[in-house]
Structures are given as structure tokens and as C-alpha cells.
Amino acid sequence: STLDINGNLSVKVVNLNGGDFTNKTPIDDGTYVNLNPNNGGVNPGGDFILPDANAFPGRIYILRNRTDYDTAYIYTAGGDIFTGDSRTAITQPYHMESDNDANGGSPSKTIMVISDGDNWTFGFFNRN
């Protein structure tokens, strides 16, 4: 089958505040997800969790660390996390860095993650 979009494409955008290690914020809605790891300075936390990759084959999220000072920590409820150019799973959590030096962000400030039905694979938008 074919999907032909002749015009603009809009995807659902959600904003999520980070949880702490024992209460990670689920990433389970939207396509473009703005992550706020410090939770607005109230009950600080930077932990987020992707759903089980086995339950959502083909699911795609674009994740953006909105802060310029806090790291977002990404876990998965099932499956491993791989970079697009590696055969080895990374150790969880994956660290989405901020833009502390205001130079446009680290490569991990914005990533796309895709479930292959077993694991999550991610790629960068920025390769400084």
C-alpha cells in the first residue's frame, strides 16, 4: 500500500515532565514529544520510559530534550535500545543531553526512536 501526502503533515505533539527513578514518566502518546527533565523545578526528575517494543511494532517517537540544563534519561519497559549504527544495545538509561554551552545542542538533544517489534532503535537529527 502507499500513503501519498500532497501537502503539509502535522503530527501530535505532547509535553511531558520527567519523573524520578521510581516513578518514570511514560512516553505513550504523541509523535513529537517535548521532554522537560526538571519538571519545572517542582519535584525534579528526568526519567522517562518507552513502552515495551514488543507491544508496539512500528511505533515512532521524535523525542526532544527541551531544556538547556538538564539531562533526560530514557528507559524502555521491554526490549533494548540500539543506535542505528550499532549491533550492541546501549546500557539503560540512554542520556539525552541538554545544550549547556548554547551551541545548538548535543547530538542527543533530539532523537527519533522506532520499535522493530523487539527493540528500540534511535537515530540523531544533529551530529555536531
Side-chain angles (χ1 to χ4, degrees):
S1 61
T2 301
L3 171 64
D4 184 12
I5 299 172
N6 189 8
N8 296 323
L9 171 67
S10 293
V11 297
K12 185 175 183 180
V13 176
V14 298
N15 298 297
L16 297 177
N17 291 326
D20 61 26
F21 180 76
T22 60
N23 191 25
K24 299 171 188 72
T25 300
I27 299 170
D28 59 4
D29 191 20
T31 300
Y32 191 95
V33 183
N34 292 314
L35 305 175
N36 183 15
N38 78 341
N39 197 16
V42 178
N43 189 23
D47 293 329
F48 301 87
I49 189 163
L50 292 164
D52 186 337
N54 294 284
F56 298 98
R59 177 73 55 97
I60 297 172
Y61 294 110
I62 299 168
L63 306 177
R64 172 95 172 149
N65 181 348
R66 292 282 305 261
T67 69
D68 288 337
Y69 38 82
D70 291 315
T71 299
Y73 300 98
I74 309 300
Y75 298 82
T76 175
D80 290 320
I81 303 173
F82 291 85
T83 61
D85 58 358
S86 174
R87 291 187 211 166
T88 305
I90 64 167
T91 302
Q92 291 187 49
Y94 176 71
H95 298 217
M96 289 183 68
E97 301 298 333
S98 60
D99 188 15
N100 291 336
D101 53 8
N103 69 352
S106 75
S108 65
K109 187 163 177 73
T110 303
I111 63 172
M112 178 186 292
V113 294
I114 303 171
S115 167
D116 64 9
D118 291 315
N119 299 294
W120 291 96
T121 301
F122 74 89
F124 301 106
F125 283 90
N126 176 12
R127 293 292 269 188
N128 279 346

